[in-house]
Amino acid sequence: MQAHTESVRMFGGDPREFNGDLLVYPVEEDIPHLAANAPRSLHRVLQQGWAAGDFKGKKEQALLFYPGLLDRGDEPPVQARRVLFVGLGKQDDNIDVRREQLRLAGGVIARQAGTVKAAEVLVVLPGDFLLAAVEIAQCLTEGLVLGNYRFDPYKTPREDSDQPGRVAVFHLHHGTLAATAVTEGMTRGRVLAEAVCTARDMANQPGNGWTPAEFADYGKKIARQSTLKCKVLDKSALQKLGMGGILAVNQGSALPPCLVVLEYRTSRKHPTVLLVGKGLTFDSGGICVKPPAGMEDMKYDMCGGAAVITAMQAIAETGVAGVNVVGLIPATENLAGPAALKPGDIIRQYGGRSVEIINTDAEGRLILADALAYGIETYKPEAVIDLATLTGAVIIGLGHHRTGLLANHDALAERLLAAGSEAGEPLWRLPLGPEYRKQLDSRVADIKNAGSDRSAGTITAACYLQEFVGDTPWVHLDIAGTAWDCTEKSYIPKGPSGTGVRTLAALLRHWQPLPAAGASPGDAQQP
Ligand code: BES
Ligand code: ZN
Ligand code: ZN
């Protein structure tokens, strides 16, 4: 696993004494002014850039220059090698959009720093942005660290590379904001963004570099380093428990499956929230093999599992109050070896329900159903959230811009929608209902694993999962469209995005007991 060694630190001195590679001032659109104590020489550049129409603080605009040329001997010189003004855009009325403006600016800073191969960067925080200081620091830090992400462990290093560099340390100067609040926000932003980068690393690893055993090892490793408890149910434990879904999908693979269990415990008195993530480390489709074009992307079929395991890590590092959190990652490959599951086979999920296999490529629901049923029985959670790259159909419906959300509980759905919006990871609710569930009626078993046509594929997949959650409030996030090649942004590169980690963290940080009110599964209410 690649270590994310970049750090973000507070800088206590005068920004003009910072002698690193790049000194950065975020600037709001139409407000041509820098933090009150900024050097006069930099004010002059800003005014000139403004007058020339080159830099107006517009969203993602950037102006890079060399302060060494500005020294008139009338004030202590700026020591940094370069200065960057970066536009924040106009302050939006919506607080979540303002959060996003800061993340985007952080991503632009990381990108510009990469272009000039800056190793040490100092960012002076904006003083007039209408957001709590802790949030300004958190969101900007998220943008910096996420925008600085690279994955290159398999590339042989080349001296003459013209690839962008990677920043070693981002320093933050609190400007006119309270330093303690900025330190707190910076720490939270760094922990969350590093968790997302780790989820991206797991996903970027090829199928032969990230197998179920790697999920198990990583779970044990983070448990050693934190207050988390980790238990790994191996193949024989899964057999004893009757986890027929995970075992069936695993039949065609030479590698054993596992179920990774991570527990974050505060107090017995507190409710438990259960997180479940699909950890399919490669999905060939099995006997119903996928077409070869693009099949390599199916190494990403473990992104739900990566989101859950790294969210657990972030939760343990930042701490959340008043709630226990349990994370489950069912992990296996879906291959077409000689013992592979076949269409027509009948299997039994955990709990005994029989399933007629129609399509071996609809395997995610089989491994999730075991984990959901087992997790609910064992931990009696107040709420369950699962994340999975479950259906190609969600990409047809929502593209790569929104995660699909399906739920049996309106209040929980609303909370996820709000958490996603706060984290800049938008979600969109789709309906459930008996008319869709009917598509899964089997002639020979209790249920079949796929409908006979492809209509409403995302909904029927969720209907399958719903069978295994009973009355427990539950939200399913179909991240097949957003886990990779997600809406490209300054802080979201091509490839895996690490989506879900920050949404889960935002949800759990604000956790309050759920209202008793139940569900109206047919009504998809948008915010
Ligand atoms: N892992 C895939 C879903 C997927 C497809 C994610 C494309 C990202 C991009 C899943 O296991 C799958 O193959 N689902 C099938 C279900 C169908 C056979 C009922 C699908 O969506 O085609
Ligand atoms: Zn599949
Ligand atoms: Zn799959």
Side-chain angles (χ1 to χ4, degrees):
M1 193 85 269
Q2 205 183 2
H4 288 281
T5 48
E6 84 262 15
S7 63
V8 191
R9 290 185 209 146
M10 293 293 283
F11 182 83
D14 182 337
R16 78 184 80 214
E17 285 161 14
F18 171 73
N19 61 3
D21 305 296
L22 187 64
L23 169 62
V24 186
Y25 286 86
V27 179
E28 266 178 62
E29 183 168 352
D30 295 340
I31 307 187
H33 104 124
L34 300 175
N37 51 357
R40 283 195 296 278
S41 58
L42 302 188
H43 278 289
R44 286 196 294 273
V45 175
L46 182 65
Q47 273 149 21
Q48 282 178 29
W50 212 273
D54 297 349
F55 181 83
K56 297 261 186 197
K58 287 188 196 308
K59 196 171 105 180
E60 302 196 48
Q61 215 176 23
L63 183 70
L64 181 78
F65 57 95
Y66 303 92
L69 303 172
L70 305 172
D71 188 11
R72 291 182 177 173
D74 59 343
E75 59 178 349
V78 172
Q79 311 244 322
R81 285 176 68 191
R82 307 172 189 83
V83 176
L84 176 74
F85 296 152
V86 60
L88 288 165
K90 279 203 181 81
Q91 289 205 42
D92 198 276
D93 294 340
N94 180 323
I95 186 169
D96 290 339
V97 178
R98 293 206 291 283
R99 291 183 169 111
E100 184 68 3
Q101 287 179 291
L102 290 159
R103 283 186 208 104
L104 288 171
V108 171
I109 295 166
R111 192 192 287 162
Q112 291 277 335
T115 310
V116 297
K117 295 191 173 11
E120 301 264 340
V121 176
L122 172 62
V123 184
V124 182
L125 295 194
D128 300 326
F129 214 70
L130 289 176
L131 207 55
V134 59
E135 298 234 31
I136 293 178
Q138 178 186 339
C139 295
L140 197 85
T141 302
E142 286 177 10
L144 293 170
V145 176
L146 293 173
N148 196 35
Y149 178 78
R150 309 273 182 285
F151 182 79
D152 49 19
Y154 291 95
K155 286 257 188 208
T156 305
R158 275 184 25 209
E159 280 294 314
D160 59 342
S161 166
D162 54 5
Q163 291 295 310
R166 216 162 153 258
V167 174
V169 187
F170 290 106
H171 304 263
L172 296 190
H173 189 280
H174 61 85
T176 53
L177 304 173
T180 45
V182 169
T183 307
E184 187 190 330
M186 175 193 78
T187 305
R188 196 192 299 154
R190 179 183 54 73
V191 169
L192 290 176
E194 285 177 356
V196 174
C197 290
T198 305
R200 289 177 182 173
D201 276 350
M202 293 174 182
N204 264 317
Q205 283 288 351
N208 60 349
W210 194 263
T211 68
E214 270 75 35
F215 266 125
D217 290 348
Y218 194 79
K220 289 183 206 153
K221 182 175 121 183
I222 58 177
R224 279 196 300 275
Q225 294 167 350
S226 70
T227 57
L228 291 172
K229 279 208 330 217
C230 177
K231 192 164 59 182
V232 176
L233 303 184
D234 63 9
K235 186 169 175 178
S236 70
L238 299 177
Q239 280 164 336
K240 282 192 200 109
L241 286 163
M243 299 237 187
I246 303 175
L247 292 165
V249 174
N250 182 251
Q251 278 170 213
S253 164
L255 304 176
C258 63
L259 179 69
V260 182
V261 182
L262 282 162
E263 298 179 13
Y264 171 81
R265 295 243 156 249
T266 49
S267 153
R268 275 177 183 280
K269 284 184 288 190
H270 294 149
T272 295
V273 172
L274 177 67
L275 310 177
V276 179
K278 173 177 173 183
L280 218 295
T281 60
F282 187 77
D283 181 10
S284 71
I287 294 295
C288 306
V289 65
K290 289 179 180 293
M295 202 206 269
E296 66 278 10
D297 282 351
M298 284 300 123
K299 70 175 186 173
Y300 297 138
D301 210 17
M302 35 55 73
C303 285
V308 168
I309 206 165
T310 58
M312 292 300 295
Q313 180 182 0
I315 285 162
E317 263 184 79
T318 56
V320 293
V323 63
N324 302 308
V325 188
V326 175
L328 297 183
I329 300 104
T332 176
E333 301 177 312
N334 183 23
L335 294 181
L341 188 67
K342 306 175 292 297
D345 284 359
I346 297 182
I347 64 151
R348 283 190 191 278
Q349 296 273 187
Y350 180 83
R353 218 166 312 190
S354 63
V355 186
E356 181 189 8
I357 303 301
I358 298 297
N359 193 319
T360 62
D361 199 9
E363 84 300 335
R365 62 198 77 183
L366 302 178
I367 70 169
L368 289 170
D370 280 352
L372 288 166
Y374 169 78
I376 288 170
E377 185 182 297
T378 311
Y379 297 100
K380 310 205 170 17
E382 183 184 25
V384 187
I385 299 125
D386 78 77
L387 288 88
T389 48
L390 205 61
T391 65
V394 80
I395 311 176
I396 307 296
L398 301 176
H400 294 281
H401 310 301
R402 279 177 187 261
T403 289
L405 178 154
L406 299 99
N408 65 0
H409 192 282
D410 292 339
L412 184 61
E414 291 298 330
R415 282 198 197 174
L416 263 300
L417 288 165
S421 173
E422 177 181 329
E425 298 182 328
L427 314 170
W428 195 258
R429 190 172 179 186
L430 299 171
L432 291 165
E435 61 280 25
Y436 296 105
R437 162 64 183 80
K438 211 168 174 334
Q439 293 176 228
L440 299 177
D441 285 346
S442 164
R443 221 171 28 80
V444 292
D446 297 337
I447 191 168
K448 54 187 186 183
N449 81 328
S452 26
D453 64 38
R454 300 184 82 85
S455 66
T458 304
I459 300 173
T460 53
C463 285
Y464 188 91
L465 301 181
Q466 189 178 15
E467 292 289 310
F468 297 87
V469 298
D471 296 331
T472 307
W474 156 77
V475 162
H476 159 61
L477 300 180
D478 192 333
I479 57 171
T482 49
W484 71 96
D485 293 350
C486 191
T487 323
E488 212 178 327
K489 295 180 190 173
S490 63
Y491 69 90
I492 303 185
K494 288 202 173 64
S497 62
T499 196
V501 179
R502 290 180 305 105
T503 296
L504 291 175
L507 175 84
L508 289 161
R509 193 152 58 81
H510 306 304
W511 191 259
Q512 294 291 324
L514 278 176
S520 52
D523 300 340
Q525 278 157 18
Q526 299 302 339

